[in-house]
Amino acid sequence: MSFLAKLFPRPVTRAEAELAYLQASANLYDLEMREREISRGKFAAH
């Protein structure tokens, strides 16, 4: 990895942030709640 790549990392896309959020769920109930939060626009401002 180059010096500039370390200094200026690539911004995370909305889709990547949503996927990481969903993958961090602890159980099916948590996953369902996170899906609802995303559908309500949790990452819309990013």
Side-chain angles (χ1 to χ4, degrees):
M1 182 179 277
S2 73
F3 172 74
L4 289 178
K6 287 183 182 178
L7 192 58
F8 301 106
R10 181 181 62 83
V12 176
T13 66
R14 179 178 173 180
E16 290 171 337
E18 289 175 352
L19 181 60
Y21 185 64
L22 291 174
Q23 289 176 335
S25 63
N27 53 44
L28 288 177
Y29 177 76
D30 187 26
L31 177 62
E32 184 177 326
M33 296 306 295
R34 289 172 186 243
E35 287 174 338
R36 288 182 185 169
E37 289 177 341
I38 288 172
S39 68
R40 291 182 186 138
K42 181 172 180 76
F43 293 98
H46 295 187

